[in-house]
Amino acid sequence: MLQQIRDKSGSKIFYSLLMILMIGGMAFFGMGDYSFGGARSFVAKVGDELITENDFAERLQEQQSRMRSMMGESYNAKMFDTPEFRRRLLDQLIDEELISQAGAGAGMAVSDAKVREEIGKIEAFKRDGKFDTELYLQLLKSNGMTSQKFQERMRRDIAVRELPTQITATAMVTSKDVDSYIRLRDQLRSFRYVSLMPAAVAPDSITDAQIKQYFDAHSVDYVTPEQVSIEYVELNGASIPATQPEESALRQRYQEQSFRFGTNEQRLASHILVEVAESADAEAQKAAQQRAESIAVELTAGKDFAVVAQASSDDIGSKNSGGDLGWIEKGSMEPAFEEALFALEAGKTSAPVRTSQGYHIISSREVRAAAIKPFEEVRAELEAEYITETRQNKFAELQDMLFTAADHSSGTLEPLAKAINAEVKTSELFTRDFGPGIAMYPDVREAAFSLEVKEDGLTSEPIEVAKEHVVVVRLAQHKASEPRTLDNAKEEVRSLLISEASTKSARETADAALKRLLGGESLDVIAAGAGVGVVEAKDVGRQGSAHDAALISEVFKMARPAADSVSNGLAKLNDSSYALVQLQSAADGDASKLDEAARTAAREQLRQELAAAESAAFREALRARVPVKIDETKI
């Protein structure tokens, strides 16, 4: 179901819903209101409002779930649980709370109509391009939700989105602004430059005394990394051989799951809901029943069902569409509702039916008979599912055996291997940061270097490195970090000193050349003396790709030359060499040459940049006005 939701989601607002659904057991929507358990200790306090540890943990899990879904087996939770990541996440929560408070303070309210409109846009609630009340109710019900709590979350998300949108909508861009923007954006510059090549540093120019002096001063940097090798037992679902099904098993599966291969009997239904909680007192229950019976009388008298639903139904998801619930089959609604619906003939309406939501008056508008594909058409699909399912079941069985054996393991992995009919393997030596084979997985390396495995010689807990891939490890060899000798590190130090000398030489050469250029010597004479040519660059734009990007960036920072003059400068290139630059001219972009479509695109680009700047300034202003207290120990 969640994959279906994810595949269907297109609305930005729906991302918030999706993240809620991805966190199980939170009971946002049930018989009672959701509440945080325990003390309300906070990670941050924004004005008088708290961002609790539960709030923060919930959002962190949302983000990690999203990244896990995107990255698959390459996902590493530690990448998204760093202090920097957690701080950015907290800043996001703080900004949302600030915006929510600012909207409330400004009297900004999100109407029920707006909430309904946004719910209607959510692709996950649509079937064949139209909002489907049946699907909507199924998704809420399957996740234990009530419409009230769902609407509250939607209302807050809309408010947090709308206020910044209204702020940035004030970013005004005049025609004069567009002209100035185009002049700068499309500016072309012509320049000449010389790439300066520093003198090569000969390896033998670095003396042994220099190498020793550097090594002695930085000996702490010259150590062999700590290494280990491990014995391990792995259980990989992909290596479990396929079990071919018997024909009879496939036919039995088809009989049991035939509903998947077509449509069961369905009813095109509408309803009118008189909402009353099961926990309501007797007076409220009686009032609701009487109201439902009164509505039923109106329908019996000939009133149009859709008109009455629009006027009287308490179900906001369907009332505007005349109570339409779409096509319903058994198993999707409460038993009492389904029993009444499937007992109706097409065109008939039920008496009030009691469910946990209240009283329903149900209309069966059309009946659709079951239509199931024959066994032969779906046999291949059933066979593939059977093989996958049996492999998964076998993996689960072996995994349980592995976990049990791991709980009782002592000085060897042989019992674990025997339990799952595997073999004990031994890895090559690897470091904390990198390893081949099984050590490519970060969690395996972390376990191998843990105190329990490396120091105490214990067997690790089973490590899930990927879906249906579990490993148990034990230390085989430990090679401690050791200081390297001067002889061992000599050539490495020499290369470093050569690089440093080359960098220093490049800068000195560049500074000397710039001094000569500023002193009046021509660029051509300097180039000839260096044995290189002068490169002519004509009418180059900011995104010019024919020259080094760092050079282009520096050229557009240089002062525009006066008439009949040039501007001289120095640019450090991306390869750490330098170029001597002589800017000859700067020609502004001509806004008058752009057609209306191009001007519109430029206006929108400028507007977006201004809007982003205004949004950032708005958030900074809110933080300056509202006190924010952060408990650093909780991040």
Side-chain angles (χ1 to χ4, degrees):
M1 177 65 75
L2 292 181
Q3 184 60 50
Q4 178 188 9
I5 297 171
R6 187 180 299 110
D7 292 341
K8 288 185 175 183
S9 62
S11 168
K12 292 181 179 178
I13 293 179
F14 184 71
Y15 172 70
S16 298
L17 168 65
L18 175 59
M19 290 297 101
I20 296 171
L21 300 184
M22 292 174 74
I23 302 176
M26 292 175 59
F28 270 104
F29 308 89
M31 296 307 297
D33 288 344
Y34 175 82
S35 62
F36 293 105
R40 287 176 58 82
S41 59
F42 65 88
V43 180
K45 185 176 182 181
V46 184
D48 294 329
E49 296 297 322
L50 302 182
I51 296 174
T52 68
E53 290 185 81
N54 282 336
D55 294 332
F56 185 66
E58 174 189 325
R59 185 63 66 88
L60 180 62
Q61 187 176 354
E62 289 177 6
Q63 295 290 338
Q64 290 175 337
S65 296
R66 177 172 176 263
M67 297 312 300
R68 184 183 292 109
S69 176
M70 291 173 59
M71 299 177 66
E73 291 191 4
S74 63
Y75 171 79
N76 180 0
K78 292 181 176 59
M79 294 169 58
F80 304 100
D81 198 16
T82 63
E84 295 78 15
F85 182 82
R86 293 170 74 89
R87 169 62 75 172
R88 288 197 298 271
L89 192 64
L90 179 57
D91 284 339
Q92 181 180 339
L93 283 167
I94 291 171
D95 283 344
E96 289 178 5
E97 180 57 37
L98 286 167
I99 292 170
S100 179
Q101 292 181 22
M108 181 178 178
V110 180
S111 67
D112 291 342
K114 180 65 174 177
V115 173
R116 288 195 297 269
E117 178 186 347
E118 292 296 342
I119 291 175
K121 292 178 181 178
I122 296 174
E123 291 297 324
F125 296 151
K126 292 182 179 180
R127 186 176 279 135
D128 298 328
K130 296 182 179 179
F131 182 85
D132 190 303
T133 304
E134 172 196 355
L135 182 59
Y136 169 73
L137 294 173
Q138 285 177 349
L139 289 176
L140 295 186
K141 179 182 176 183
S142 65
N143 289 276
M145 300 180 180
T146 67
S147 58
Q148 179 182 1
K149 281 292 183 181
F150 178 59
Q151 290 168 47
E152 287 175 4
R153 178 64 185 261
M154 287 290 293
R155 195 183 306 276
R156 176 182 170 87
D157 289 346
I158 294 169
V160 168
R161 181 194 65 179
E162 286 297 321
L163 184 57
T165 299
Q166 292 185 20
I167 296 292
T168 57
T170 63
M172 301 297 295
V173 178
T174 67
S175 294
K176 185 177 180 180
D177 294 332
V178 175
D179 290 343
S180 298
Y181 177 70
I182 292 171
R183 280 198 299 270
L184 289 174
R185 186 195 67 180
D186 298 346
Q187 188 182 96
L188 300 177
R189 294 195 165 199
S190 295
F191 56 96
R192 308 170 75 221
Y193 69 95
V194 173
S195 295
L196 302 172
M197 304 303 295
V201 179
D204 57 8
S205 67
I206 305 299
T207 66
D208 289 347
Q210 289 174 304
I211 292 174
K212 184 176 186 308
Q213 181 182 13
Y214 185 90
F215 180 82
D216 289 344
H218 300 84
S219 58
V220 68
D221 298 328
Y222 291 91
V223 294
T224 59
E226 183 182 22
Q227 294 178 294
V228 298
S229 70
I230 54 172
E231 293 181 339
Y232 65 97
V233 174
E234 67 177 325
L235 173 61
N236 192 341
S239 64
I240 297 175
T243 301
Q244 296 298 324
E246 297 287 342
E247 188 75 7
S248 59
L250 291 182
R251 289 190 176 276
Q252 180 180 351
R253 191 183 187 92
Y254 172 75
Q255 292 298 326
E256 293 172 348
Q257 302 183 19
S258 60
F259 64 89
R260 296 173 44 212
F261 307 110
T263 57
N264 289 326
E265 183 182 358
Q266 295 177 321
R267 294 288 195 277
L268 183 60
S270 297
H271 83 141
I272 297 169
L273 172 65
V274 177
E275 193 169 23
V276 61
E278 288 182 312
S279 59
D281 58 33
E283 184 177 347
Q285 297 275 9
K286 183 178 180 181
Q289 183 178 5
Q290 290 176 343
R291 182 178 161 218
E293 290 173 348
S294 175
I295 293 172
V297 169
E298 291 183 52
L299 296 171
T300 302
K303 283 195 175 182
D304 183 78
F305 191 97
V307 173
V308 176
Q310 290 173 346
S312 304
S313 180
D314 292 333
D315 179 12
I316 64 167
S318 66
K319 68 179 297 181
N320 290 338
S321 57
D324 179 31
L325 294 177
W327 288 98
I328 294 176
E329 61 183 55
K330 290 184 178 180
S332 62
M333 307 293 283
E334 289 191 35
F337 188 101
E338 289 182 357
E339 183 179 351
L341 173 61
F342 281 84
L344 291 172
E345 297 178 5
K348 299 296 184 180
T349 300
S350 75
V353 177
R354 184 70 165 98
T355 72
S356 62
Q357 293 177 294
Y359 290 91
H360 305 259
I361 298 94
I362 306 168
S363 170
S364 176
R365 291 148 52 201
E366 187 177 338
V367 176
R368 180 185 288 169
I372 309 297
K373 293 180 181 178
F375 171 78
E376 290 72 19
E377 286 188 27
V378 297
R379 186 188 184 287
E381 181 181 348
L382 288 167
E383 182 177 15
E385 290 176 354
Y386 181 92
I387 291 172
T388 298
E389 190 174 298
T390 53
R391 179 186 283 121
Q392 290 173 343
N393 291 339
K394 184 63 175 177
F395 175 83
E397 177 187 340
L398 293 173
Q399 185 178 39
D400 287 342
M401 296 168 65
L402 178 65
F403 275 51
T404 301
D407 284 341
H408 299 88
S409 64
S410 53
T412 174
L413 295 181
E414 290 297 340
L416 278 75
K418 185 177 180 180
I420 63 171
N421 195 28
E423 61 178 310
V424 178
K425 302 177 183 178
T426 303
S427 75
E428 300 176 22
L429 285 166
F430 57 87
T431 68
R432 292 177 183 271
D433 299 323
F434 175 78
I438 198 67
M440 70 178 286
Y441 296 104
D443 289 347
V444 170
R445 297 198 302 273
E446 180 179 356
F449 281 92
S450 68
L451 180 65
E452 293 81 1
V453 173
K454 188 186 73 171
E455 302 295 339
D456 298 340
L458 301 178
T459 299
S460 75
E461 295 288 332
I463 306 161
E464 186 175 9
V465 296
K467 184 179 181 181
E468 295 189 353
H469 191 178
V470 179
V471 182
V472 177
V473 308
R474 188 178 180 84
L475 183 69
Q477 181 184 354
H478 176 234
K479 191 174 182 180
S481 175
E482 298 177 348
R484 295 169 62 185
T485 64
L486 175 59
D487 286 343
N488 178 269
K490 186 175 182 177
E491 292 309 312
E492 188 176 327
V493 175
R494 186 190 302 278
S495 296
L496 177 62
L497 294 178
I498 289 173
S499 177
E500 289 182 352
S502 179
T503 299
K504 181 181 178 183
S505 174
R507 184 69 207 193
E508 290 173 347
T509 299
D511 287 342
L514 179 60
K515 184 176 181 180
R516 291 167 60 191
L517 185 63
L518 295 175
E521 211 168 331
S522 74
L523 190 64
D524 296 276
V525 170
I526 295 173
V532 295
V534 177
V535 179
E536 302 281 348
K538 294 291 187 183
D539 297 330
V540 177
R542 294 177 185 273
Q543 305 302 319
S545 59
H547 307 279
D548 188 289
L551 172 65
I552 298 296
S553 177
E554 193 61 39
V555 165
F556 276 88
K557 293 177 185 176
M558 294 174 65
R560 183 192 295 263
D564 301 323
S565 183
V566 295
S567 292
N568 297 313
L570 193 65
K572 186 176 182 179
L573 308 183
N574 284 324
D575 62 359
S576 297
S577 64
Y578 291 85
L580 202 58
V581 184
Q582 199 166 67
L583 177 60
Q584 298 170 302
S585 65
D588 290 337
D590 188 350
S592 66
K593 293 183 178 180
L594 270 63
D595 59 24
E596 191 57 36
R599 284 186 63 85
T600 299
R603 182 188 296 275
E604 179 59 22
Q605 185 177 3
L606 178 57
R607 192 198 64 78
Q608 289 179 4
E609 292 177 5
L610 290 174
E614 289 190 6
S615 180
F618 172 60
R619 292 193 299 271
E620 290 178 8
L622 290 179
R623 289 202 178 217
R625 189 184 69 184
V626 179
V628 176
K629 180 181 179 181
I630 297 174
D631 185 344
E632 300 289 347
T633 66
K634 304 290 178 58
I635 302 178

